[in-house]
Amino acid sequence: MARGGRGRHLGLAMGLLLALVLAPPALRAKPTVRKERVVRPDSELGERPPEDNQSFQYDHEAFLGKEDSKTFDQLTSEESKERLGKIVDRIDSDGDGFVTTEELKTWIKRVQKRYIYDNVAKVWKDYDRDKDDKISWEEYKQATYGYYLGNPTEFHDTSDHHTFKKMLPRDERRFKAADLDGDQTATREEFTAFLHPEEFEHMKEIVVLETLEDIDKNGDGLVDQDEYIADMFSHEENGPEPDWVLSEREQFNEFRDLNKDGKLDKDEIRHWILPQDYDHAQAEARHLVYESDKNKDEKLTKEEILDNWNMFVGSQATNYGEDLTKNHDEL
């Protein structure tokens, strides 16, 4: 599912846009390409695409973050290496002159989580209307649904009406789950859990429940194979299914439906979208070490990393100049 928190903004125009952004996948236009629902502990870091073996794009995004990696085009190779060297010094947390797989994994996880907190910081002022550094449920509700609540007749018998009517109680349920102290206000950490529930252990059940509600069209509390496929793909015309859809049907039968009853219950959905047996940050760290470790001592010197700089940052590396001047406690 690759879904984090949903979009959240204000006003009439924003409210109508929000209806589309907040709406569950089932209420949006159906894609004809594959939709990924599996939640990664590091939201930006998904499966390594098979076609990326040469471009290093996946490595750049894992090592630098998706947004930062886009701006590296403007650096020369010498500038990239210089800034990469500074990053290496930060990754080498014990200062022994070597970067281990564990240190790389820690760095990658921090980079991948940074975008979450950046996202919360960007939208915080839109919801914290009384500027008390907390967001109450009422503040969020008015900011997000205020126009709908104040003008219900404009949404009568429209898809927007259905969307808002469904999403309001759903958002309230999620907000209460994130509000650990039950005071109906969210601290920054609690609001982060609300917007990005997949990143917090105590929110995982909400992620599973919302996924079930999105896909379960007949309301039986289970997901059958047709519902599973319909969430990923819909025929624009009654033509043959693409090969990947046939493959997904096989996946459903062989790996998703663990008890072989033809349907997915909550436990099977949890096993599907919240896999516990694969750490993508660990896999990427091992990959970077393996590809750069010239003397095969299972750790990297700065020289080994800089010699293979193109894999870490390449010609699309990020401009870390500003980032390196910041307080890096959040990383």
Side-chain angles (χ1 to χ4, degrees):
M1 112 180 181
R3 77 217 230 154
R6 312 218 161 154
R8 5 290 179 181
H9 271 55
L10 315 171
L12 171 58
M14 283 297 189
L16 293 176
L17 174 62
L18 188 71
L20 296 175
V21 179
L22 277 174
L27 296 179
R28 302 180 196 151
K30 292 287 187 176
T32 55
V33 295
R34 178 173 182 164
K35 177 194 298 178
E36 175 64 59
R37 269 200 181 268
V38 177
V39 176
R40 307 298 176 191
D42 308 292
S43 305
E44 284 199 329
L45 192 59
E47 298 281 3
R48 171 184 292 277
E51 68 276 9
D52 191 55
N53 293 336
Q54 300 302 320
S55 73
F56 302 136
Q57 180 181 353
Y58 181 95
D59 300 302
H60 298 167
E61 292 182 1
F63 185 72
L64 300 166
K66 185 173 292 186
E67 290 304 314
D68 284 339
S69 68
K70 294 176 182 177
T71 63
F72 235 92
D73 298 344
Q74 319 203 356
L75 299 180
T76 66
S77 60
E78 290 307 313
E79 288 173 327
S80 295
K81 291 178 184 178
E82 179 184 356
R83 295 183 184 186
L84 175 58
K86 294 178 182 179
I87 295 172
V88 172
D89 291 338
R90 291 197 48 76
I91 298 172
D92 179 18
S93 57
D94 59 9
D96 66 352
F98 297 97
V99 171
T100 63
T101 300
E102 190 63 26
E103 287 172 326
L104 258 180
K105 182 182 81 169
T106 298
W107 171 264
I108 290 169
K109 283 183 174 291
R110 287 175 178 173
V111 166
Q112 296 305 316
K113 285 186 180 297
R114 181 179 58 184
Y115 90 98
I116 297 169
Y117 293 98
D118 286 349
N119 168 258
V120 172
K122 287 176 183 176
V123 303
W124 183 266
K125 66 181 183 300
D126 294 337
Y127 300 108
D128 182 17
R129 294 184 161 188
D130 61 8
K131 309 304 177 188
D132 64 349
D133 206 35
K134 294 182 290 184
I135 295 172
S136 68
W137 166 246
E138 284 301 315
E139 284 178 309
Y140 177 81
K141 182 174 72 172
Q142 287 304 316
T144 305
Y145 299 102
Y147 188 86
Y148 162 70
L149 294 171
N151 302 273
T153 57
E154 292 191 24
F155 293 87
H156 188 62
D157 292 332
T158 69
S159 61
D160 289 332
H161 173 78
H162 176 73
T163 297
F164 279 111
K165 187 176 181 180
K166 180 176 182 178
M167 291 308 299
L168 178 55
R170 181 159 153 160
D171 268 0
E172 184 173 15
R173 181 182 64 194
R174 190 198 280 196
F175 193 95
K176 288 180 178 178
D179 178 22
L180 290 177
D181 59 10
D183 65 353
Q184 298 186 47
T185 63
T187 62
R188 286 183 183 265
E189 190 72 4
E190 288 172 333
F191 198 61
T192 303
F194 170 68
L195 294 185
H196 299 276
E198 75 286 347
E199 299 293 336
F200 293 82
E201 193 60 38
H202 68 281
M203 299 294 289
K204 296 294 177 67
E205 288 307 307
I206 286 289
V207 174
V208 172
L209 180 57
E210 289 182 0
T211 301
L212 173 59
E213 290 172 345
D214 285 349
I215 306 176
D216 175 23
K217 293 297 179 284
N218 62 13
D220 66 352
L222 300 166
V223 173
D224 61 35
Q225 186 184 107
D226 288 339
E227 290 171 328
Y228 173 82
I229 294 299
D231 181 61
M232 305 177 185
F233 172 80
S234 65
H235 290 287
E236 292 186 349
E237 297 179 4
N238 293 324
E241 291 183 337
D243 289 343
W244 69 262
V245 173
L246 300 177
S247 176
E248 277 297 337
R249 290 191 183 278
E250 294 176 3
Q251 287 282 320
F252 181 95
N253 291 328
E254 295 180 21
F255 302 108
R256 308 286 186 237
D257 181 17
L258 300 177
N259 62 9
K260 307 306 178 187
D261 67 349
K263 298 183 178 182
L264 305 186
D265 58 25
K266 282 186 181 180
D267 287 338
E268 289 167 321
I269 291 173
R270 184 182 302 105
H271 187 270
W272 163 35
I273 68 170
L274 300 170
Q276 300 297 313
D277 56 351
Y278 190 75
D279 186 332
H280 286 261
Q282 175 80 12
E284 175 63 11
R286 287 175 175 171
H287 167 72
L288 291 171
V289 170
Y290 177 81
E291 295 293 339
S292 307
D293 183 17
K294 290 185 176 180
N295 62 5
K296 302 305 177 186
D297 62 353
E298 299 184 352
K299 54 188 176 182
L300 302 179
T301 62
K302 180 186 284 190
E303 181 181 5
E304 286 176 318
I305 292 174
L306 293 180
D307 283 347
N308 200 23
W309 68 276
N310 198 51
M311 171 168 279
F312 288 86
V313 294
S315 61
Q316 298 178 353
T318 184
N319 186 342
Y320 256 78
E322 178 184 356
D323 188 59
L324 287 166
T325 65
K326 290 182 181 178
N327 181 341
H328 285 267
D329 290 343
E330 73 271 18
L331 290 179

